[in-house]
Amino acid sequence: MAAAGQRPTLNIAVQDLRTILEPVDSSSNANVSWRVQYSIYDQILRTDYNDNYRLHFALAKSLKQLDAKTYEIGLRDNVKFHDGSTMTADDVVFSLGVERLRGEKAPGAAVFGNFLASLADVQKIDDRTVRLVTQTEDPVFTDRLGAWGTQIISAKAWKAATNYNAWAARPIGTGPYKIGEVRTGDEITLIAHDDYWGGQPPFASIRFKRLPEIAARIAGLKAGDYDIVTDITPDHISEIDGVSGLSVTGGETMWFRFLTFAPLRTPALKDANLRRALASAIDRDALAEGLWNGRAKALNGWQLPIFGEINDPERKGVSYDPALVKELLAKSSYRGEEIPYPTVGTYYPMQLPDNQALVEMWKAAGINVKLIMCENWDQVGNIGGINDMSGGGLYADPVSMLWQIIGPTNDLQASGGWTNAEFNALGNQLETTLDLAKRKAAFKRMQDIVEIEDPCVTPLHSMPFIYGQKKDISWKPNPLPQMWLGPKLPPEPVA
């Protein structure tokens, strides 16, 4: 086909799909949404996750910081939306404006709070220039522009839609693929956007097919029905590895699994000694080695090498310590009350085996945790107790990790499960001061609070993204859930 000048189509079988395709909608803030939407939209800047998180220009062609809180952005020329119209500063102002993103009742309010909370104003200078103004100094503002939430959409198409739901099902962006057919909950087809500013998309179309059962995904790959299948677990790798024409790719990531504790909604968890005991009773190495055959990395804390100077490689975090667990339980008020642990069990790869192993570890330590199987995440959220989550470093700073996953705008605090005034004050300092020493001190103290004094979250292990694919597919996964399926973009690093 390539020799004849015809581009191939691509068929991808996935574990789950979300068919609300507006990227700032709260329902789109999920692994299974990001991997589809990453090729539909462009952001102001682009983070190359396979090149040590290097920041590049995307829809912006220049960026100049005018003062402590003002950034001037020159926009790339002749960027075409999926409907053929040309992107201008008006689209950027609207995309990052009050109606869509920054307003209290905007559909993007939750995404704004998580990813872009420092943005105060967006001003048009001329058709190719905008200014972004922050509320305070922000040491990671340019990183935010290449993480999530700055996807630019067509203001004209938004306003022409009959209502928000109609828009959210078929938004108009500038990415290498536009939305084709959508079958709710089952299938999404993307079509090549041949006017893409970054070059011709390599595939004529991409079909994402929802197949929750891993056996069905693998069978489809072997039968030639699919070119890539997602969410392969270690116990199934041998079914693909070694098969003629197929290969296994992916692995170590900057994404991780963690647990949250909701003491304000769960009487049995009110004692901080008990919560610390729950974290210290987890043998993370056993999870990473036993369940993931060494493909996952045990995580004891919130430090990552990509954090650079703010990283503290000497910090040990929370370790498996049966003696400490015994001591903490003796000091606590815990007397064997049942602690709920709701889970859907099938959303993350190896989720249920993780759930079951953790319950057994806690049982061995004398802690009575009951696993509750739920049909969906709404049911999980209504129960409280111990919750299964995932998150990761969308940019190379701890603001994108610990602060983002349990700050005031995220689920644990927003649902009333836990709060800590000192932690929140330190998080605000972490994202509003440029002083490295103060940032390091704030981050250290934040970790002390959630690991020792008022535990509400504990990491488990990295979450490998493992794919099965045909060997002749030229595609390289990155260490996050996003799947970039567009053309190879030239390097344009932001100084």
Side-chain angles (χ1 to χ4, degrees), residues 386-444:
I386 301 170
N387 276 189
D388 246 347
M389 306 294 287
S390 77
L394 287 172
Y395 48 90
D397 192 274
V399 169
S400 79
M401 282 272 288
L402 184 59
W403 179 233
Q404 191 161 287
I405 64 174
I406 58 166
T409 61
N410 223 307
D411 291 344
L412 182 63
Q413 292 203 57
S415 66
W418 172 89
T419 192
N420 185 289
E422 184 186 2
F423 178 89
N424 289 342
L426 290 163
N428 285 325
Q429 183 178 33
L430 184 68
E431 65 175 353
T432 58
T433 180
L434 306 184
D435 187 303
L436 180 61
K438 289 181 180 178
R439 298 190 77 232
K440 290 181 74 170
F443 185 39
K444 178 182 182 302

Tab-separated table of all heavy atoms in Angstrom, residues 386-444:
chain	number	residue	atom	x	y	z
A	386	ILE	N	-10.809	3.331	51.372
A	386	ILE	CA	-9.552	3.292	50.625
A	386	ILE	C	-9.900	3.270	49.141
A	386	ILE	O	-10.741	2.479	48.711
A	386	ILE	CB	-8.743	2.033	50.993
A	386	ILE	CG1	-8.443	2.002	52.488
A	386	ILE	CG2	-7.443	1.978	50.197
A	386	ILE	CD1	-7.865	0.675	52.977
A	387	ASN	N	-9.280	4.128	48.354
A	387	ASN	CA	-9.577	4.191	46.918
A	387	ASN	C	-8.328	3.936	46.089
A	387	ASN	O	-7.232	4.339	46.453
A	387	ASN	CB	-10.156	5.551	46.539
A	387	ASN	CG	-11.656	5.657	46.774
A	387	ASN	OD1	-12.271	6.625	46.374
A	387	ASN	ND2	-12.251	4.666	47.430
A	388	ASP	N	-8.547	3.260	44.964
A	388	ASP	CA	-7.533	2.972	43.945
A	388	ASP	C	-7.450	4.121	42.962
A	388	ASP	O	-8.471	4.515	42.409
A	388	ASP	CB	-8.021	1.765	43.137
A	388	ASP	CG	-7.157	0.563	43.316
A	388	ASP	OD1	-6.065	0.693	43.860
A	388	ASP	OD2	-7.599	-0.512	42.889
A	389	MET	N	-6.266	4.624	42.670
A	389	MET	CA	-6.138	5.725	41.722
A	389	MET	C	-4.878	5.535	40.887
A	389	MET	O	-4.061	4.661	41.153
A	389	MET	CB	-6.065	7.066	42.458
A	389	MET	CG	-7.212	7.337	43.423
A	389	MET	SD	-8.807	7.528	42.627
A	389	MET	CE	-8.606	9.133	41.875
A	390	SER	N	-4.726	6.414	39.895
A	390	SER	CA	-3.466	6.461	39.156
A	390	SER	C	-3.155	7.908	38.824
A	390	SER	O	-4.043	8.767	38.790
A	390	SER	CB	-3.529	5.632	37.867
A	390	SER	OG	-4.243	6.306	36.850
A	391	GLY	N	-1.906	8.194	38.584
A	391	GLY	CA	-1.478	9.539	38.230
A	391	GLY	C	-0.032	9.493	37.790
A	391	GLY	O	0.585	8.423	37.761
A	392	GLY	N	0.509	10.655	37.468
A	392	GLY	CA	1.894	10.659	37.039
A	392	GLY	C	2.405	12.044	36.758
A	392	GLY	O	1.712	13.044	36.962
A	393	GLY	N	3.630	12.105	36.274
A	393	GLY	CA	4.283	13.373	36.001
A	393	GLY	C	4.002	13.851	34.590
A	393	GLY	O	4.640	13.393	33.641
A	394	LEU	N	3.048	14.769	34.429
A	394	LEU	CA	2.773	15.330	33.113
A	394	LEU	C	3.801	16.376	32.728
A	394	LEU	O	3.911	16.755	31.572
A	394	LEU	CB	1.373	15.929	33.077
A	394	LEU	CG	0.230	14.910	33.057
A	394	LEU	CD1	-1.103	15.593	33.217
A	394	LEU	CD2	0.249	14.103	31.763
A	395	TYR	N	4.531	16.892	33.702
A	395	TYR	CA	5.711	17.706	33.435
A	395	TYR	C	6.686	17.498	34.575
A	395	TYR	O	6.357	16.908	35.615
A	395	TYR	CB	5.367	19.188	33.225
A	395	TYR	CG	4.442	19.805	34.244
A	395	TYR	CD1	4.934	20.407	35.394
A	395	TYR	CD2	3.067	19.811	34.032
A	395	TYR	CE1	4.071	20.990	36.310
A	395	TYR	CE2	2.212	20.402	34.944
A	395	TYR	CZ	2.716	20.988	36.080
A	395	TYR	OH	1.872	21.560	36.990
A	396	ALA	N	7.903	17.944	34.370
A	396	ALA	CA	9.013	17.550	35.240
A	396	ALA	C	9.111	18.415	36.490
A	396	ALA	O	10.111	19.107	36.718
A	396	ALA	CB	10.322	17.583	34.453
A	397	ASP	N	8.071	18.357	37.318
A	397	ASP	CA	8.064	19.112	38.561
A	397	ASP	C	7.057	18.481	39.506
A	397	ASP	O	6.008	17.979	39.058
A	397	ASP	CB	7.685	20.572	38.291
A	397	ASP	CG	7.931	21.470	39.496
A	397	ASP	OD1	7.050	21.567	40.375
A	397	ASP	OD2	9.031	22.065	39.566
A	398	PRO	N	7.320	18.516	40.827
A	398	PRO	CA	6.387	17.898	41.779
A	398	PRO	C	5.014	18.545	41.832
A	398	PRO	O	4.083	17.944	42.375
A	398	PRO	CB	7.113	18.011	43.126
A	398	PRO	CG	8.167	19.034	42.939
A	398	PRO	CD	8.560	18.956	41.501
A	399	VAL	N	4.854	19.745	41.284
A	399	VAL	CA	3.514	20.321	41.183
A	399	VAL	C	2.606	19.378	40.399
A	399	VAL	O	1.414	19.229	40.680
A	399	VAL	CB	3.562	21.715	40.520
A	399	VAL	CG1	2.152	22.192	40.159
A	399	VAL	CG2	4.214	22.726	41.458
A	400	SER	N	3.172	18.702	39.390
A	400	SER	CA	2.374	17.815	38.548
A	400	SER	C	2.158	16.447	39.180
A	400	SER	O	1.468	15.602	38.598
A	400	SER	CB	3.047	17.630	37.178
A	400	SER	OG	4.105	16.696	37.236
A	401	MET	N	2.721	16.229	40.353
A	401	MET	CA	2.599	14.922	41.002
A	401	MET	C	1.776	15.039	42.275
A	401	MET	O	0.549	15.103	42.232
A	401	MET	CB	3.988	14.364	41.293
A	401	MET	CG	4.663	13.786	40.062
A	401	MET	SD	4.253	12.042	39.829
A	401	MET	CE	5.179	11.312	41.158
A	402	LEU	N	2.440	15.114	43.410
A	402	LEU	CA	1.759	15.066	44.696
A	402	LEU	C	0.718	16.169	44.836
A	402	LEU	O	-0.405	15.934	45.275
A	402	LEU	CB	2.786	15.155	45.830
A	402	LEU	CG	2.236	15.030	47.254
A	402	LEU	CD1	1.518	13.712	47.435
A	402	LEU	CD2	3.356	15.167	48.278
A	403	TRP	N	1.069	17.395	44.455
A	403	TRP	CA	0.140	18.509	44.607
A	403	TRP	C	-1.065	18.354	43.684
A	403	TRP	O	-2.206	18.597	44.078
A	403	TRP	CB	0.868	19.821	44.321
A	403	TRP	CG	0.031	21.074	44.413
A	403	TRP	CD1	-0.102	22.037	43.458
A	403	TRP	CD2	-0.766	21.518	45.521
A	403	TRP	NE1	-0.927	23.053	43.895
A	403	TRP	CE2	-1.349	22.751	45.168
A	403	TRP	CE3	-1.055	20.996	46.782
A	403	TRP	CZ2	-2.197	23.471	46.011
A	403	TRP	CZ3	-1.902	21.713	47.630
A	403	TRP	CH2	-2.454	22.923	47.237
A	404	GLN	N	-0.824	17.913	42.476
A	404	GLN	CA	-1.923	17.801	41.528
A	404	GLN	C	-2.885	16.681	41.878
A	404	GLN	O	-4.097	16.814	41.709
A	404	GLN	CB	-1.368	17.583	40.120
A	404	GLN	CG	-2.423	17.723	39.033
A	404	GLN	CD	-1.791	17.965	37.688
A	404	GLN	OE1	-1.279	19.037	37.406
A	404	GLN	NE2	-1.817	16.938	36.866
A	405	ILE	N	-2.375	15.561	42.412
A	405	ILE	CA	-3.265	14.415	42.637
A	405	ILE	C	-4.082	14.530	43.911
A	405	ILE	O	-5.168	13.943	44.005
A	405	ILE	CB	-2.499	13.071	42.616
A	405	ILE	CG1	-1.487	12.983	43.758
A	405	ILE	CG2	-1.847	12.837	41.270
A	405	ILE	CD1	-0.821	11.628	43.871
A	406	ILE	N	-3.598	15.294	44.920
A	406	ILE	CA	-4.410	15.414	46.141
A	406	ILE	C	-4.568	16.852	46.598
A	406	ILE	O	-4.920	17.106	47.749
A	406	ILE	CB	-3.848	14.560	47.303
A	406	ILE	CG1	-2.400	14.962	47.631
A	406	ILE	CG2	-3.982	13.079	47.017
A	406	ILE	CD1	-1.920	14.404	48.948
A	407	GLY	N	-4.312	17.819	45.708
A	407	GLY	CA	-4.567	19.214	46.049
A	407	GLY	C	-6.061	19.475	46.190
A	407	GLY	O	-6.900	18.592	45.942
A	408	PRO	N	-6.449	20.681	46.559
A	408	PRO	CA	-7.852	20.993	46.838
A	408	PRO	C	-8.807	20.785	45.673
A	408	PRO	O	-10.003	20.589	45.878
A	408	PRO	CB	-7.810	22.478	47.240
A	408	PRO	CG	-6.413	22.735	47.650
A	408	PRO	CD	-5.561	21.821	46.826
A	409	THR	N	-8.294	20.840	44.448
A	409	THR	CA	-9.180	20.707	43.290
A	409	THR	C	-9.379	19.261	42.868
A	409	THR	O	-10.203	18.992	41.985
A	409	THR	CB	-8.622	21.490	42.089
A	409	THR	OG1	-7.344	20.961	41.728
A	409	THR	CG2	-8.488	22.966	42.420
A	410	ASN	N	-8.642	18.327	43.457
A	410	ASN	CA	-8.777	16.952	43.007
A	410	ASN	C	-9.705	16.154	43.913
A	410	ASN	O	-10.164	16.631	44.940
A	410	ASN	CB	-7.408	16.280	42.866
A	410	ASN	CG	-7.319	15.463	41.587
A	410	ASN	OD1	-8.168	14.615	41.331
A	410	ASN	ND2	-6.316	15.729	40.762
A	411	ASP	N	-9.953	14.887	43.512
A	411	ASP	CA	-11.056	14.114	44.069
A	411	ASP	C	-11.041	13.990	45.590
A	411	ASP	O	-12.080	14.152	46.231
A	411	ASP	CB	-11.069	12.707	43.452
A	411	ASP	CG	-11.453	12.718	41.990
A	411	ASP	OD1	-11.982	13.734	41.534
A	411	ASP	OD2	-11.204	11.714	41.304
A	412	LEU	N	-9.902	13.668	46.174
A	412	LEU	CA	-9.873	13.371	47.600
A	412	LEU	C	-10.371	14.544	48.434
A	412	LEU	O	-11.228	14.385	49.312
A	412	LEU	CB	-8.454	12.979	48.027
A	412	LEU	CG	-8.310	12.591	49.505
A	412	LEU	CD1	-9.126	11.345	49.822
A	412	LEU	CD2	-6.848	12.376	49.864
A	413	GLN	N	-9.848	15.745	48.170
A	413	GLN	CA	-10.284	16.907	48.932
A	413	GLN	C	-11.627	17.438	48.424
A	413	GLN	O	-12.481	17.857	49.223
A	413	GLN	CB	-9.230	18.014	48.877
A	413	GLN	CG	-7.941	17.668	49.615
A	413	GLN	CD	-7.176	18.905	50.024
A	413	GLN	OE1	-7.697	19.773	50.719
A	413	GLN	NE2	-5.912	18.988	49.609
A	414	ALA	N	-11.832	17.435	47.113
A	414	ALA	CA	-13.081	17.970	46.555
A	414	ALA	C	-14.291	17.178	47.039
A	414	ALA	O	-15.393	17.727	47.175
A	414	ALA	CB	-13.017	17.970	45.037
A	415	SER	N	-14.114	15.888	47.321
A	415	SER	CA	-15.218	15.049	47.786
A	415	SER	C	-15.359	15.061	49.308
A	415	SER	O	-16.230	14.373	49.857
A	415	SER	CB	-15.015	13.606	47.311
A	415	SER	OG	-13.864	13.030	47.935
A	416	GLY	N	-14.502	15.813	49.983
A	416	GLY	CA	-14.589	15.899	51.437
A	416	GLY	C	-13.981	14.721	52.163
A	416	GLY	O	-14.305	14.458	53.329
A	417	GLY	N	-13.062	14.004	51.511
A	417	GLY	CA	-12.462	12.831	52.140
A	417	GLY	C	-11.319	13.150	53.081
A	417	GLY	O	-11.048	12.401	54.038
A	418	TRP	N	-10.610	14.239	52.809
A	418	TRP	CA	-9.437	14.619	53.616
A	418	TRP	C	-9.102	16.056	53.293
A	418	TRP	O	-9.351	16.530	52.182
A	418	TRP	CB	-8.255	13.715	53.256
A	418	TRP	CG	-6.924	14.089	53.865
A	418	TRP	CD1	-6.440	13.669	55.074
A	418	TRP	CD2	-5.896	14.924	53.293
A	418	TRP	NE1	-5.178	14.189	55.292
A	418	TRP	CE2	-4.823	14.967	54.218
A	418	TRP	CE3	-5.778	15.630	52.106
A	418	TRP	CZ2	-3.656	15.680	53.973
A	418	TRP	CZ3	-4.618	16.358	51.863
A	418	TRP	CH2	-3.571	16.382	52.792
A	419	THR	N	-8.536	16.769	54.246
A	419	THR	CA	-7.970	18.079	53.978
A	419	THR	C	-6.934	18.388	55.046
A	419	THR	O	-6.977	17.827	56.150
A	419	THR	CB	-9.053	19.184	53.922
A	419	THR	OG1	-8.476	20.379	53.384
A	419	THR	CG2	-9.626	19.472	55.302
A	420	ASN	N	-5.997	19.232	54.710
A	420	ASN	CA	-4.962	19.624	55.662
A	420	ASN	C	-4.516	21.033	55.288
A	420	ASN	O	-3.963	21.246	54.202
A	420	ASN	CB	-3.777	18.646	55.603
A	420	ASN	CG	-2.724	18.946	56.648
A	420	ASN	OD1	-2.009	19.946	56.549
A	420	ASN	ND2	-2.610	18.071	57.644
A	421	ALA	N	-4.789	21.988	56.169
A	421	ALA	CA	-4.538	23.400	55.858
A	421	ALA	C	-3.063	23.673	55.601
A	421	ALA	O	-2.709	24.434	54.687
A	421	ALA	CB	-5.050	24.275	56.996
A	422	GLU	N	-2.179	23.056	56.365
A	422	GLU	CA	-0.753	23.299	56.167
A	422	GLU	C	-0.297	22.736	54.830
A	422	GLU	O	0.461	23.382	54.094
A	422	GLU	CB	0.069	22.687	57.300
A	422	GLU	CG	1.550	23.000	57.164
A	422	GLU	CD	2.439	22.293	58.186
A	422	GLU	OE1	1.895	21.509	58.999
A	422	GLU	OE2	3.667	22.517	58.157
A	423	PHE	N	-0.760	21.540	54.498
A	423	PHE	CA	-0.403	20.938	53.216
A	423	PHE	C	-0.841	21.843	52.066
A	423	PHE	O	-0.081	22.091	51.118
A	423	PHE	CB	-1.066	19.562	53.086
A	423	PHE	CG	-0.807	18.874	51.774
A	423	PHE	CD1	0.308	18.060	51.610
A	423	PHE	CD2	-1.674	19.026	50.698
A	423	PHE	CE1	0.554	17.422	50.398
A	423	PHE	CE2	-1.441	18.395	49.482
A	423	PHE	CZ	-0.321	17.599	49.339
A	424	ASN	N	-2.050	22.364	52.143
A	424	ASN	CA	-2.559	23.220	51.072
A	424	ASN	C	-1.777	24.527	50.974
A	424	ASN	O	-1.509	25.015	49.868
A	424	ASN	CB	-4.043	23.498	51.283
A	424	ASN	CG	-4.901	22.264	51.033
A	424	ASN	OD1	-4.460	21.313	50.392
A	424	ASN	ND2	-6.111	22.270	51.550
A	425	ALA	N	-1.399	25.100	52.116
A	425	ALA	CA	-0.603	26.330	52.096
A	425	ALA	C	0.762	26.076	51.475
A	425	ALA	O	1.270	26.890	50.688
A	425	ALA	CB	-0.453	26.880	53.510
A	426	LEU	N	1.358	24.929	51.792
A	426	LEU	CA	2.666	24.580	51.222
A	426	LEU	C	2.552	24.311	49.718
A	426	LEU	O	3.442	24.683	48.947
A	426	LEU	CB	3.223	23.353	51.932
A	426	LEU	CG	3.664	23.555	53.380
A	426	LEU	CD1	3.795	22.222	54.095
A	426	LEU	CD2	4.974	24.330	53.439
A	427	GLY	N	1.470	23.679	49.298
A	427	GLY	CA	1.269	23.436	47.880
A	427	GLY	C	1.130	24.735	47.111
A	427	GLY	O	1.670	24.875	46.012
A	428	ASN	N	0.418	25.686	47.693
A	428	ASN	CA	0.311	27.002	47.062
A	428	ASN	C	1.678	27.663	46.941
A	428	ASN	O	1.981	28.317	45.936
A	428	ASN	CB	-0.632	27.890	47.869
A	428	ASN	CG	-2.091	27.509	47.663
A	428	ASN	OD1	-2.483	27.112	46.576
A	428	ASN	ND2	-2.897	27.616	48.708
A	429	GLN	N	2.499	27.486	47.962
A	429	GLN	CA	3.854	28.052	47.902
A	429	GLN	C	4.679	27.350	46.829
A	429	GLN	O	5.421	27.995	46.070
A	429	GLN	CB	4.543	27.926	49.255
A	429	GLN	CG	5.932	28.557	49.293
A	429	GLN	CD	6.578	28.459	50.667
A	429	GLN	OE1	6.367	27.513	51.407
A	429	GLN	NE2	7.394	29.439	51.002
A	430	LEU	N	4.540	26.038	46.731
A	430	LEU	CA	5.295	25.259	45.753
A	430	LEU	C	5.028	25.749	44.332
A	430	LEU	O	5.933	25.763	43.493
A	430	LEU	CB	4.921	23.778	45.879
A	430	LEU	CG	5.672	22.786	45.000
A	430	LEU	CD1	7.126	22.672	45.423
A	430	LEU	CD2	5.004	21.413	45.044
A	431	GLU	N	3.791	26.158	44.052
A	431	GLU	CA	3.461	26.553	42.683
A	431	GLU	C	3.450	28.065	42.466
A	431	GLU	O	3.090	28.517	41.375
A	431	GLU	CB	2.114	25.954	42.257
A	431	GLU	CG	0.911	26.433	43.003
A	431	GLU	CD	-0.392	25.867	42.430
A	431	GLU	OE1	-0.361	25.207	41.367
A	431	GLU	OE2	-1.436	26.083	43.063
A	432	THR	N	3.873	28.842	43.474
A	432	THR	CA	3.859	30.303	43.290
A	432	THR	C	5.178	30.993	43.616
A	432	THR	O	5.278	32.214	43.463
A	432	THR	CB	2.763	30.951	44.156
A	432	THR	OG1	2.986	30.633	45.534
A	432	THR	CG2	1.378	30.485	43.739
A	433	THR	N	6.194	30.250	44.048
A	433	THR	CA	7.480	30.891	44.315
A	433	THR	C	8.546	30.344	43.378
A	433	THR	O	8.542	29.151	43.038
A	433	THR	CB	7.917	30.702	45.778
A	433	THR	OG1	9.181	31.358	45.977
A	433	THR	CG2	8.107	29.228	46.128
A	434	LEU	N	9.458	31.210	42.979
A	434	LEU	CA	10.572	30.803	42.121
A	434	LEU	C	11.800	30.429	42.924
A	434	LEU	O	12.776	29.925	42.357
A	434	LEU	CB	10.920	31.946	41.153
A	434	LEU	CG	9.791	32.513	40.302
A	434	LEU	CD1	10.325	33.572	39.337
A	434	LEU	CD2	9.075	31.416	39.525
A	435	ASP	N	11.770	30.656	44.222
A	435	ASP	CA	12.919	30.395	45.091
A	435	ASP	C	13.084	28.886	45.268
A	435	ASP	O	12.240	28.222	45.890
A	435	ASP	CB	12.706	31.082	46.441
A	435	ASP	CG	13.930	31.003	47.345
A	435	ASP	OD1	14.395	29.877	47.627
A	435	ASP	OD2	14.409	32.060	47.779
A	436	LEU	N	14.177	28.334	44.722
A	436	LEU	CA	14.377	26.883	44.740
A	436	LEU	C	14.447	26.338	46.154
A	436	LEU	O	13.857	25.287	46.454
A	436	LEU	CB	15.650	26.522	43.972
A	436	LEU	CG	15.984	25.023	43.923
A	436	LEU	CD1	14.885	24.234	43.242
A	436	LEU	CD2	17.323	24.795	43.225
A	437	ALA	N	15.154	27.030	47.056
A	437	ALA	CA	15.287	26.547	48.429
A	437	ALA	C	13.919	26.464	49.114
A	437	ALA	O	13.613	25.500	49.819
A	437	ALA	CB	16.231	27.455	49.215
A	438	LYS	N	13.080	27.481	48.898
A	438	LYS	CA	11.746	27.468	49.495
A	438	LYS	C	10.881	26.370	48.881
A	438	LYS	O	10.085	25.723	49.574
A	438	LYS	CB	11.084	28.829	49.308
A	438	LYS	CG	11.695	29.937	50.153
A	438	LYS	CD	10.976	31.268	49.943
A	438	LYS	CE	11.593	32.366	50.802
A	438	LYS	NZ	10.926	33.677	50.581
A	439	ARG	N	11.043	26.144	47.589
A	439	ARG	CA	10.264	25.097	46.925
A	439	ARG	C	10.667	23.719	47.447
A	439	ARG	O	9.814	22.858	47.703
A	439	ARG	CB	10.445	25.150	45.402
A	439	ARG	CG	9.973	26.457	44.777
A	439	ARG	CD	9.941	26.367	43.239
A	439	ARG	NE	8.766	25.623	42.801
A	439	ARG	CZ	8.771	24.603	41.972
A	439	ARG	NH1	9.927	24.158	41.468
A	439	ARG	NH2	7.650	24.002	41.625
A	440	LYS	N	11.965	23.501	47.608
A	440	LYS	CA	12.435	22.213	48.136
A	440	LYS	C	11.929	21.988	49.549
A	440	LYS	O	11.496	20.887	49.912
A	440	LYS	CB	13.961	22.157	48.099
A	440	LYS	CG	14.547	22.069	46.702
A	440	LYS	CD	16.060	21.987	46.715
A	440	LYS	CE	16.544	20.630	47.157
A	440	LYS	NZ	18.006	20.467	46.948
A	441	ALA	N	11.982	23.034	50.377
A	441	ALA	CA	11.519	22.920	51.760
A	441	ALA	C	10.015	22.637	51.803
A	441	ALA	O	9.538	21.823	52.608
A	441	ALA	CB	11.854	24.197	52.527
A	442	ALA	N	9.254	23.317	50.952
A	442	ALA	CA	7.807	23.100	50.924
A	442	ALA	C	7.484	21.670	50.503
A	442	ALA	O	6.631	21.008	51.113
A	442	ALA	CB	7.153	24.099	49.973
A	443	PHE	N	8.162	21.190	49.464
A	443	PHE	CA	7.909	19.836	48.978
A	443	PHE	C	8.276	18.803	50.043
A	443	PHE	O	7.550	17.828	50.263
A	443	PHE	CB	8.692	19.605	47.687
A	443	PHE	CG	8.416	18.290	47.023
A	443	PHE	CD1	7.137	17.755	46.981
A	443	PHE	CD2	9.446	17.586	46.407
A	443	PHE	CE1	6.880	16.541	46.358
A	443	PHE	CE2	9.207	16.366	45.780
A	443	PHE	CZ	7.926	15.848	45.757
A	444	LYS	N	9.382	19.004	50.733
A	444	LYS	CA	9.790	18.079	51.797
A	444	LYS	C	8.731	18.018	52.893
A	444	LYS	O	8.343	16.938	53.355
A	444	LYS	CB	11.135	18.512	52.395
A	444	LYS	CG	11.617	17.638	53.542
A	444	LYS	CD	12.930	18.146	54.108
A	444	LYS	CE	13.443	17.229	55.221
A	444	LYS	NZ	12.472	17.086	56.346
